[in-house]
Amino acid sequence: MDITPIIDKLNTGLFINGQWRDAEGGKTIEVHNPATGELITTVADGSAADADEAIRAAGEAQAGWAATAPRERAEILRRAFELLIERADDIAAVMTAEMGKPFAESKGEVTYGAEFFRWFSEEAVRVGGDYTQSTDGKTRIMVSREPVGPCILITPWNFPLAMGTRKIGPAIAAGCTMVFKPAKLTPLTSLMLVDVLKEAGLPDGVLNVVTSDSARRVVTPWMESGIARKITFTGSTEVGIGLLKQAADSVMKTSMELGGNAPFVVCEDADLDKAVAGAVLAKMRNGGEACTAANRLFVHSSVAEEFSTKLAEKIGAMKVGNGLDEGTEVGPLVDQDSLDKVESLVNDAVSKGAKVLTGGKKRDGAGYFFDPTVITDVPKDSEIRTTEIFGPVAPIVTFDTDEEALALANETEYGLAGYLFSENIERALSLAEKLEVGMIGLNTGLVSNPAAPFGGVKMSGLGREGGRVGIDEFLEVKYVATPRS
Ligand code: NAP
């Protein structure tokens, strides 16, 4: 697939106060294709001064934007949803070129990401309040929910569209203005999203986008501006902790979608074919580069051999290649560091006694390819048992009792997603209640859904995105008291 005609039409500058423009000094950063190493194009390399201009634009637009009718905001989102669906092929092709995932998965992400706009277009007109009285009957209490104010949005490279729409959707619905910094590895999808929103009628200044080679150079001025009232971040726990500390200085509202280390538990009464299909999805979606990816597979010892063999057959047969080539099921990792990390985790486990059922190696030649891998007998002291893998590797460990499965599953500082497979619903729900995670796939390998509250516990984050509660992260509660006679 040749994406040159799409790239030639792309706006690659900064988007501030409704205008595209170059970065200060005309500086740019290169964007490469991880499947080939080739240069795709360059985008603006925003400076601190550019960032400052962006947050001021968001600050100035806030009052006017908050005063718009909810229906108007809803209809902008609805139009943007429709435009995203219309342009799904182009956006997906660019996403695959910059991030690596197979074209079909990129298209799936466009649909998933667009759904956040549809969902929040429906939520925008349903922000309710309360009218009540004090317990002694002497005071009227009128409660309203108002936009929190200008927001800082920071997204990672692994879902370059959906991580943006999951934040921009509720911010628009609530009436908040934004400054947005996409990941430097995958800025092109986000810039296509900006075009869509401009065309859908988003007023100038509501969304301001600054791409940059240095996240800190752009985000620190925003954090210290005194203008931003909220930060919503998706990325690593390490960076999230740093931002939480910075947010404390101005008592800024925060939402943090951080790292995961999802357990995938297969009980002896599971439907094994269903469990294998679930594991393929939970492990291999996005090539394993997902915060919800099954990171540690715990399988009852009585079914472990059958499960592992079937999983290795399925995963080992997946076609690895350039995501733009037809039939590709697994693309490259996003960069050299990611490839080195996955290789080192597998080598460490194998050196300590793990057995490779399939894969286990990186591929020679261009691109950051690692063979889809299943390893068993993974020792407790292997780094892979505690580290977020972010690659196509499924490490399997056995257990004998439910208590043991729970102890293994909860033995991590993370708590984003978890997966459980059992045909005994009472047992499954009892285990689900005891898993220390924010989301559970029960007999399914997929939890992401715009209508569901996405988020984690422990060091996986704070707050929820999507679902009925997603808009609350962008609203403040205010009440008016008045005497009642
Ligand atoms: P990352 O290194 O934390 O980067 C995430 C974003 O933060 C990028 O835009 C990055 O910019 C920016 N950033 C980096 N350092 C910063 C700093 N000091 N101040 C402000 N911003 C900074 O994470 P990643 O490697 O891109 O993404 C993978 C991680 O995201 C994994 O841990 C994964 O689990 C997590 N994730 C979580 C969820 C969720 O919903 N819980 C969803 C997806 C991913 P640059 O990239 O331009 O440097």
Side-chain angles (χ1 to χ4, degrees):
M1 194 184 296
D2 179 19
I3 62 161
T4 320
I6 313 170
I7 297 295
D8 286 347
K9 283 189 286 178
L10 218 67
N11 283 306
T12 54
L14 308 177
F15 184 72
I16 299 177
N17 207 13
Q19 304 302 318
W20 291 100
R21 69 159 176 79
D22 289 342
E24 185 186 28
K27 287 192 170 174
T28 56
I29 37 177
E30 296 186 344
V31 184
H32 293 269
N33 182 334
T36 61
E38 285 164 9
L39 176 70
I40 304 172
T41 186
T42 60
V43 299
D45 179 11
S47 67
D50 294 323
D52 189 53
E53 201 181 314
I55 189 71
R56 282 177 197 285
E60 279 158 26
Q62 179 57 54
W65 178 236
T68 54
R71 176 72 75 206
E72 199 177 321
R73 301 199 296 268
E75 287 182 352
I76 291 168
L77 283 172
R78 178 70 199 200
R79 280 195 293 275
F81 157 74
E82 281 161 9
L83 285 169
L84 282 174
I85 299 298
E86 260 172 43
R87 291 179 196 168
D89 280 348
D90 283 4
I91 297 172
V94 170
M95 190 190 300
T96 291
E98 67 176 347
M99 187 271 164
K101 73 181 81 177
F103 177 75
E105 281 199 49
S106 293
K107 227 175 143 177
E109 186 184 333
V110 178
T111 311
Y112 169 58
E115 279 299 329
F116 284 103
F117 281 179
R118 177 150 70 169
W119 174 264
F120 284 108
S121 78
E122 290 155 352
E123 291 295 282
V125 290
R126 312 249 184 275
V127 175
D130 201 9
Y131 186 106
T132 184
Q133 57 178 286
S134 58
T135 50
D136 62 6
K138 292 183 180 162
T139 307
R140 285 187 188 87
I141 298 171
M142 291 166 279
V143 181
S144 60
R145 290 153 84 217
E146 302 185 347
V148 65
C151 300
I152 300 170
L153 277 47
I154 306 175
T155 55
W157 49 264
N158 62 341
F159 290 99
L161 185 85
M163 297 303 97
T165 57
R166 208 162 75 173
K167 298 181 189 306
I168 295 169
I172 290 179
C176 297
T177 61
M178 294 154 271
V179 284
F180 173 26
K181 196 212 76 64
K184 66 177 169 230
L185 290 175
T186 58
L188 305 177
T189 308
S190 306
L191 298 176
M192 290 178 93
L193 176 61
V194 174
D195 268 334
V196 160
L197 283 161
K198 187 171 166 70
E199 220 173 301
L202 194 70
D204 294 351
V206 174
L207 175 67
N208 305 278
V209 184
V210 180
T211 47
S212 180
D213 193 35
S214 163
R216 204 183 288 268
R217 187 170 68 212
V218 167
V219 176
T220 301
W222 291 348
M223 298 296 286
E224 293 175 353
S225 64
I227 297 171
R229 290 308 319 141
K230 176 182 173 74
I231 174 162
T232 166
F233 170 76
T234 299
S236 60
T237 297
E238 188 191 352
V239 172
I241 289 170
L243 291 169
L244 280 169
K245 287 181 182 163
Q246 277 185 283
D249 286 340
S250 55
V251 194
M252 198 182 280
K253 200 172 164 87
T254 58
S255 299
M256 294 281 146
E257 296 288 352
L258 308 177
N261 186 0
F264 187 102
V265 178
V266 183
C267 298
E268 71 275 26
D269 56 12
D271 174 327
L272 277 199
D273 289 333
K274 221 193 275 177
V276 169
V280 172
L281 184 58
K283 180 72 254 180
M284 299 306 292
R285 177 170 173 251
N286 229 40
E289 293 175 310
C291 51
T292 50
N295 211 55
R296 300 165 297 146
L297 286 76
F298 300 118
V299 185
H300 193 273
S301 55
S302 64
V303 293
E305 194 172 338
E306 189 183 347
F307 174 86
S308 310
T309 308
K310 285 184 167 174
L311 183 65
E313 262 167 33
K314 294 262 183 220
I315 284 185
M318 292 180 91
K319 190 174 169 219
V320 180
N322 184 330
L324 289 171
D325 293 344
E326 211 161 316
T328 295
E329 294 172 289
V330 186
L333 293 169
V334 77
D335 62 9
Q336 186 67 47
D337 286 351
S338 302
L339 183 63
D340 292 345
K341 176 183 160 192
V342 171
E343 184 185 34
S344 136
L345 287 173
V346 171
N347 288 347
D348 170 71
V350 171
S351 74
K352 290 172 178 156
K355 291 190 192 116
V356 179
L357 291 197
T358 188
K361 296 216 159 11
K362 66 179 178 189
R363 294 202 169 176
D364 294 332
Y368 311 115
F369 293 99
F370 198 88
D371 281 337
T373 298
V374 177
I375 50 177
T376 59
D377 302 313
V378 183
K380 197 170 166 47
D381 62 343
S382 307
E383 282 173 49
I384 208 161
R385 293 271 295 260
T386 49
T387 310
E388 188 178 26
I389 305 168
F390 247 56
V393 179
I396 296 177
V397 171
T398 59
F399 68 87
D400 289 309
T401 64
D402 285 6
E403 291 66 36
E404 200 188 339
L406 277 173
L408 286 165
N410 290 336
E411 189 181 61
T412 167
E413 74 262 33
Y414 294 106
L416 190 61
Y419 304 88
L420 273 175
F421 282 75
S422 164
E423 291 298 297
N424 177 340
I425 191 73
E426 216 169 286
R427 174 191 195 179
L429 289 176
S430 165
L431 285 170
E433 283 161 8
K434 294 176 190 119
L435 270 186
E436 295 167 358
V437 294
M439 302 174 282
I440 294 171
L442 178 48
N443 293 328
T444 174
L446 186 70
V447 291
S448 304
N449 190 320
F454 189 105
V457 299
K458 294 161 81 176
M459 290 183 85
S460 287
L462 300 168
R464 293 294 179 269
E465 291 188 323
R468 298 278 297 278
V469 296
I471 197 167
D472 293 341
E473 303 277 329
F474 295 83
L475 295 167
E476 281 291 11
V477 172
K478 182 191 269 182
Y479 96 91
V480 176
T482 187
R484 183 171 177 270
S485 50

